[in-house]
């Protein structure tokens, strides 16, 4: 490949320190991994796809941390997975709230030489097809894929002058920032809607408040004042029952329903990794895997391998294998066997926004986790038969009127993110190989 004048091809090991973890006698045992502690001890689940995911995190004690010699992160380091799941990375920048983090035996630390290699440019390199092709050349055909440090050191990096590295990273960073902004906005919107769902359908806050008002045990003098305190209109508040059923502990007149009475869970397809590509060719379609429900990657398959297991942007997806319980909407593509697409039955009274926030609720998430089996890889398909919820169609319709606009904005943001991601994926290889100059 011809590179521009002033650019260099260098070995990764010459511009980046590659640091292994401590695999000696003090390596933490399973019973030493804690839910709380001094130092985060990473697993590959925490490095799913270009960003850290701390939804499930283990810790070790201060004393155990001090016994370990290598493998502790410094700010601005990168983590790269090198065993089992290969080539995922994350950047330990100032946005990460944990001060003490160590890697496990399935990853390495990449520490840039900032004189010759700008960390922002290096992050773009790690996400590029150019880097992934080199990973694939080392790991393909292995029963247990791994990426030894001796091979990683010899990876080729096409290195522009440092100022041009920063300009390239700046162009791509604008797209990354908009993608991140959409993600933060969606988090805020979801938080609002989920708070309403929890108050109405789990905690039964309006019913309990009305009961207290009727019994004179609330400081509010009028129902209008009570409704305002709950961020509702008086008409909306009076739709709720005034008491809980003593036998069922849910509002009077409400009942439990099975979720499968209203929707089906349609499992996806597995075309085989040999049919994956990081470049979108003609007749190719995005292939959505469980990790993509957190951060959308760039895996594509020929549409003929999708076998009609395709989701539209208004479809709800939920993961029931691997990292179970992830819920997403606003994506278009084929989807994997670890994911189920929600299909509404013809006679259902329910709508998309209620189902979306129901699936994200602690009620359903708890059911999924209680019925998940497996150790390394979880399987929660059996949980479907145990999913139930409290049902009152009038209150559900009111909730829909609240949250449908919120969900529409979330879908719109996700659509924009997909467009931005495609633009980024087109620009990235052109920029880091010098075919487009900035």
């Amino acid at each position: 490949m011809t590179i521009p004048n002033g650019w260099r091809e260098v070995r990764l090991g010459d511009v980046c320190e590659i640091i292994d973890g401590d695999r000696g006698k003090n390596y933490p045992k399973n019973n030493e991994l804690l839910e709380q502690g001094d130092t985060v001890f990473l697993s590959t689940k925490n490095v799913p796809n270009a960003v850290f995911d701390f939804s499930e995190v283990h810790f070790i004690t201060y004393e155990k941390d001090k016994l370990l010699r290598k493998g502790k992160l410094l700010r601005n380091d990168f983590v790269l997975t090198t065993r089992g799941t290969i080539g995922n990375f994350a950047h330990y920048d100032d946005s990460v709230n944990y001060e003490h983090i160590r890697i496990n035996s399935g990853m390495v630390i990449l520490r840039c030489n900032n004189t010759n290699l700008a960390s922002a440019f290096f992050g773009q390199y790690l996400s590029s097809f150019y880097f992934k092709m080199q990973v694939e050349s080392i790991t393909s055909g292995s029963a247990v894929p791994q990426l030894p440090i001796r091979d990683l050191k010899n990876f080729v990096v096409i290195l522009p002058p440092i100022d041009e590295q920063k300009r390239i990273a700046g162009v791509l960073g604008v797209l990354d920032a908009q993608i991140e902004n959409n993600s933060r906005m969606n988090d805020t919107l979801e938080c609002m809607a989920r708070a309403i769902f929890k108050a109405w359908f789990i905690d039964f806050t309006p019913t309990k408040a009305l009961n207290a008002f009727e019994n004179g045990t609330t400081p509010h003098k009028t129902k209008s004042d009570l409704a305002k305190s709950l961020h509702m209109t008086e008409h909306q508040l009076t739709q709720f029952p005034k008491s809980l059923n003593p036998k069922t502990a849910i509002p009077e007149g409400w009942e439990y329903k099975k979720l499968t009475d209203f929707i089906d869970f349609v499992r996806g397809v597995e075309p085989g990794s040999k049919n994956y590509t990081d470049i979108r060719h003609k007749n190719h379609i995005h292939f959505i895997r469980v990790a993509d429900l957190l951060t959308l990657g760039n895996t594509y398959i020929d549409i003929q391998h999708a076998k009609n297991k395709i989701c539209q942007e208004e479809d709800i997806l939920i993961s029931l294998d691997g990292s179970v319980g992830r819920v997403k909407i606003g994506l278009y593509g084929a989807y994997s066997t670890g994911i189920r697409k929600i299909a509404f039955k013809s006679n259902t009274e329910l709508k998309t926004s209620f189902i979306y926030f129901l699936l994200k609720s602690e009620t359903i998430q708890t059911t999924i986790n209680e019925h998940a089996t497996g150790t390394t890889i979880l399987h929660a398909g059996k949980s479907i038969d145990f999913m139930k919820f409290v049902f009152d169609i009038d209150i559900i319709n009111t909730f829909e009127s609240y949250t449908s606009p919120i969900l529409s904005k979330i879908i719109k943001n996700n659509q924009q993110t997909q467009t931005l991601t495609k633009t980024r994926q087109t620009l990235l290889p052109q920029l880091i190989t010098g075919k487009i100059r900035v």
Side-chain angles (χ1 to χ4, degrees), residues 321-366:
D321 295 290
S323 297
V324 298
R326 291 179 178 173
V327 181
K328 192 76 173 180
I329 197 168
L331 301 181
Y332 171 75
Y335 59 100
S336 73
T337 53
I339 297 171
R340 309 298 193 275
K341 180 178 77 172
I342 302 306
F344 287 83
K345 294 186 175 180
S346 58
N347 61 343
T348 184
E349 302 171 89
L350 305 181
K351 298 183 178 68
T352 301
S353 67
F354 178 79
I355 293 296
Y356 179 79
F357 293 109
L358 171 62
L359 291 174
K360 284 195 165 241
S361 72
E362 61 186 72
T363 299
I364 298 300
Q365 292 292 317
T366 299

Side-chain angles (χ1 to χ4, degrees), residues 4-221:
N5 289 333
W7 290 39
R8 297 181 293 145
E9 283 191 357
V10 299
R11 294 169 63 251
L12 180 58
D14 292 335
V15 291
C16 180
E17 184 181 2
I18 303 173
I19 304 166
D20 207 352
D22 189 332
R23 302 178 187 177
K25 64 181 181 179
N26 293 315
Y27 188 83
K29 300 177 178 63
N30 285 339
N31 62 4
E32 295 177 305
L33 300 179
L34 311 171
E35 292 186 3
Q36 295 181 342
D38 176 78
T39 301
V40 171
F41 194 72
L42 292 175
S43 75
T44 52
K45 286 184 177 180
N46 301 130
V47 193
N49 198 350
V51 293
F52 283 114
D53 174 13
F54 293 113
S55 58
E56 299 177 33
V57 61
H58 289 123
F59 297 85
I60 55 175
T61 63
Y62 174 84
E63 291 75 18
K64 172 60 73 171
D65 176 52
K66 293 304 176 186
L67 290 174
L68 299 172
R69 295 166 298 145
K70 301 185 299 179
K72 191 161 187 177
L73 294 180
L74 301 178
R75 292 289 178 181
N76 225 28
D77 283 347
F78 290 84
V79 173
L80 180 72
T81 59
T82 56
R83 286 202 179 114
T85 301
I86 306 295
N88 288 354
F89 75 95
H91 186 204
Y92 182 43
D93 59 15
D94 291 335
S95 69
V96 178
N97 292 327
Y98 296 108
E99 289 298 325
H100 304 287
I101 301 180
R102 281 192 178 274
I103 59 173
N104 76 357
S105 60
M107 51 190 72
V108 296
I109 296 169
L110 304 177
R111 188 167 291 160
C112 294
N113 174 351
N114 289 310
T115 302
N116 297 309
L117 179 61
S119 60
F121 175 83
F122 186 53
Q124 303 296 346
Y125 164 78
L126 291 175
S127 70
S128 71
F129 181 68
Y130 188 69
F131 174 74
K132 291 178 181 178
M133 283 286 289
Q134 295 182 80
V135 171
E136 179 66 21
S137 69
I138 298 295
T139 60
S140 62
S142 302
V144 181
Q146 55 183 317
L147 182 57
I149 287 179
R150 66 175 182 274
D151 294 320
L152 190 57
K153 285 181 177 179
N154 290 319
F155 274 33
V156 174
V157 183
I158 301 174
L159 205 63
I162 192 75
D163 288 342
E164 191 164 0
Q165 290 180 41
K166 292 176 181 178
R167 290 197 297 272
I168 290 169
V171 170
L172 296 168
V174 170
L175 297 174
D176 291 337
Q178 184 58 55
I179 291 169
E180 177 60 26
N181 183 58
N182 286 345
S183 178
R184 284 197 301 268
M185 187 185 303
N186 280 358
D187 288 344
T188 300
L189 292 169
E190 286 203 4
C191 186
M192 293 165 49
R194 291 172 69 180
I196 297 171
F197 187 97
K198 184 175 186 295
W200 290 15
F201 298 104
I202 298 176
D203 297 336
F204 311 126
T205 301
T207 292
K208 292 176 181 178
L210 278 171
N211 186 262
F213 180 81
E214 293 295 325
N215 292 327
T217 57
T218 175
H220 303 289
K221 295 182 179 180

Side-chain angles (χ1 to χ4, degrees), residues 306-323:
K307 297 181 180 178
N308 294 321
K309 297 300 177 70
I310 295 174
C311 64
Q312 305 297 326
E313 291 164 333
E314 64 273 14
D315 287 326
I316 301 170
L317 302 176
I318 182 169
S319 62
L320 292 178
D321 295 290
S323 297

